[in-house]
Amino acid sequence: DGGITQSPKYLFRKEGQNVTLSCEQNLNHDAMYWYRQDPGQGLRLIYYSQIVNDFQKGDIAEGYSVSREKKESFPLTVTSAQKNPTAFYLCASSMGQGPYEQYFGPGTRLTVT
Amino acid sequence: KQEVTQIPAALSVPEGENLVLNCSFTDSAIYNLQWFRQDPGKGLTSLLLIQSSQREQTSGRLNASLDKSSGRSTLYIAASQPGDSATYLCALDSNYQLIWGAGTKLIIKP
């Protein structure tokens, strides 16, 4: 059963702590993406990766970091430098970076207090 | 800079009605446009993808159109059902990155 998994579904952290969100795909897709969604706003791109061991900053990369050591995995770390980390985080993948359809995971809701 | 607008932000209609959701954009240089559905607290499900060279795509009760010259796309939902209640988002592939609208929250009343 192919798809994208994100874990956990809900995550709670204290301010000042780093936290890592998991994203795994078994679609054999080359490109993977991290988006942030806030109420009443469109999705905003945090980071994307076109290929293993390579990734690029999106529109709002400050305070976030990623790695792409395996094709299947693209974890996102929300660092203490992120000023307003409470949000819904969505991971996506596509065949490559190009006009390809993106497929999304179920999301992780992060709450930082 | 490409901007994507979805109006209205929310829409409530009785079950059975046909309805149209709107998506407008400022730059006609796009590769494709996608419509997504998002249920509360869930990820996104792709509904339709229209390539830049196409005018429309259909899937079941859904029909999406694209008019690049006017900077508009519409999502037509026929014979709406309560299960269609969700937030609908459009996204443009512009320079190989998706630019998103804020979505229209649709409520279908039984």
Side-chain angles (χ1 to χ4, degrees):
Chain A
D1 195 15
I4 302 175
T5 57
Q6 291 185 244
S7 61
K9 184 170 183 172
Y10 299 97
L11 192 54
F12 298 88
R13 280 294 182 269
K14 295 288 188 184
E15 193 172 325
Q17 294 179 334
N18 291 354
V19 59
T20 298
L21 282 60
S22 168
C23 177
E24 304 278 333
Q25 55 97 1
N26 61 5
L27 300 169
N28 199 32
H29 284 170
D30 286 318
M32 297 187 74
Y33 311 82
W34 273 105
Y35 293 94
R36 171 182 172 136
Q37 186 177 33
D38 294 284
Q41 298 187 36
L43 276 68
R44 292 182 289 170
L45 182 65
I46 305 172
Y47 268 98
Y48 64 98
S49 169
Q50 300 176 56
I51 198 168
V52 174
N53 292 323
D54 183 63
F55 47 83
Q56 307 294 330
K57 293 181 179 180
D59 299 323
I60 56 165
E62 185 175 351
Y64 299 97
S65 66
V66 293
S67 63
R68 187 84 187 277
E69 297 177 2
K70 298 186 300 181
K71 187 176 185 177
E72 303 80 20
S73 179
F74 191 41
L76 173 73
T77 297
V78 184
T79 75
S80 57
Q82 168 52 232
K83 300 298 181 195
N84 186 19
T86 295
F88 190 51
Y89 291 88
L90 288 158
C91 178
S93 71
S94 66
M95 287 178 58
Q97 197 199 20
Y100 300 111
E101 189 171 354
Q102 289 192 15
Y103 297 84
F104 283 79
T108 292
R109 183 165 298 281
L110 172 64
T111 302
V112 176
T113 57
Chain B
K1 181 184 173 184
Q2 178 74 272
E3 293 183 2
V4 180
T5 304
Q6 292 186 250
I7 296 174
L11 181 63
S12 179
V13 301
E15 179 180 5
E17 283 198 4
N18 302 326
L19 60 98
V20 174
L21 304 181
N22 296 297
C23 174
S24 61
F25 48 94
T26 55
D27 187 345
S28 62
I30 66 173
Y31 291 105
N32 61 45
L33 183 146
Q34 282 186 256
W35 282 93
F36 293 86
R37 169 187 173 135
Q38 185 176 31
D39 292 289
K42 302 289 181 62
L44 278 65
T45 301
S46 179
L47 298 174
L48 290 163
L49 183 150
I50 310 177
Q51 298 290 355
S52 176
S53 58
Q54 297 175 319
R55 296 280 295 182
E56 64 178 336
Q57 281 284 340
T58 298
S59 176
R61 294 183 293 108
L62 305 179
N63 176 278
S65 69
L66 175 63
D67 183 346
K68 292 193 298 178
S69 62
S70 66
R72 285 192 66 203
S73 175
T74 61
L75 179 66
Y76 174 82
I77 302 177
S80 59
Q81 304 170 358
D84 294 330
S85 297
T87 296
Y88 291 81
L89 298 107
C90 69
L92 306 183
D93 190 325
S94 179
N95 197 27
Y96 297 161
Q97 289 193 17
L98 290 183
I99 310 298
W100 295 82
T104 294
K105 183 176 182 179
L106 177 64
I107 298 173
I108 306 299
K109 297 176 290 186

